[in-house]
Amino acid sequence: MHNLCWKLAGAVHGWAGPALPETYGEEREPVAHRTLRQTVANTRLLVDVQNRRAEQRRRGEPAPDRVELPWSKEYFAQLGLVLGVAYRSGAVLPGADAPPEPPGTGTDYVPTPHPGHRMPHLWLAPGRSTLDACGPWFTLFTPDPARWAHPATGPWPLRVEALPAAHTGPCDLGPHGALLVRPDGHIGARWREGPERNTALRHALTRITGVTTP
């Protein structure tokens, strides 16, 4: 629902075009299909365990003292599907190095700064994470806020957050680069280096939200 709510809010409040909410299905339908496939796989795991236990009982074998960890770890470890979801739509500017197929099907969650993915958790200050800085606005994380100080004149809610230099490596950014995070916490655009022109941020927000501004 988070995916849809910020898009509806943008359309209602005028900082997004009427086509933005339509990207909800484009982004979430592939996730729904992957979730269903994983549900089927999990059900097969459970049925297999039940069948093996029934066979043990038939042979008069005692019940195991512990849960069978190999299957249960596979059954419950779904962070890759829950947190590793990557969106592909007009509301994401993927860049030239976008992976050909969004992940989100495995059991392991690997944080990544690629556009479309969830913004990774990184400490901005003691007790304050990148996740705390995100909210019902666009968040621009950059190690060089002064370089991005040119206002993106327009109706968009936007906050600029200083990214500690120690995080430029994990975010695959140069000293003047930036990550633009959408209100749902997913990365909408990335500039590895500084903006090529002062209108780069405005152009990205216009493309992501589909709003036409004078």
Side-chain angles (χ1 to χ4, degrees):
M1 291 308 297
H2 199 181
N3 182 292
L4 181 60
C5 285
W6 77 269
K7 296 172 180 178
L8 289 175
V12 169
H13 293 291
W15 50 262
L20 179 62
E22 296 178 8
T23 63
Y24 169 76
E26 189 178 356
E27 292 185 346
R28 293 299 302 176
E29 185 177 3
V31 180
H33 286 300
R34 288 197 291 273
T35 302
L36 286 172
R37 287 196 294 269
Q38 189 62 50
T39 300
V40 171
N42 282 355
T43 301
R44 287 174 176 162
L45 274 174
L46 185 58
V47 170
D48 180 59
V49 170
Q50 290 174 332
N51 289 340
R52 282 189 281 120
R53 181 59 194 136
E55 179 61 22
Q56 289 171 340
R57 285 174 178 162
R58 188 186 66 78
R59 293 196 301 261
E61 298 178 12
D65 294 331
R66 300 180 61 188
V67 176
E68 298 177 56
L69 291 179
W71 83 265
S72 63
K73 287 174 67 175
E74 186 176 349
Y75 185 92
F76 290 109
Q78 304 300 324
L79 282 181
L81 180 63
V82 176
L83 298 180
V85 165
Y87 295 144
R88 296 289 182 267
S89 76
V92 174
L93 308 184
D97 61 339
E101 178 66 25
T105 55
T107 56
D108 296 326
Y109 167 55
V110 180
T112 172
H114 280 292
H117 287 264
R118 191 180 300 271
M119 178 66 193
H121 154 70
L122 299 165
W123 290 116
L124 298 174
R128 187 168 185 265
S129 161
T130 49
L131 306 186
D132 298 318
C134 296
W137 50 76
F138 286 91
T139 308
L140 187 79
F141 291 100
T142 174
D144 187 5
R147 180 69 67 95
W148 292 87
H150 308 287
T153 3
W156 309 282
L158 174 69
R159 296 186 183 184
V160 179
E161 288 281 344
L163 188 71
H167 298 327
T168 55
C171 289
D172 198 12
L173 297 178
H176 311 297
L179 290 172
L180 179 64
V181 180
R182 310 186 322 184
D184 63 351
H186 284 255
I187 300 168
R190 176 175 61 173
W191 297 267
R192 279 202 171 93
E193 304 300 332
E196 295 179 3
R197 55 190 185 281
N198 292 346
T199 58
L201 180 54
R202 176 189 175 90
H203 178 67
L205 287 166
T206 299
R207 285 187 58 189
I208 289 171
T209 61
V211 70
T212 303
T213 59

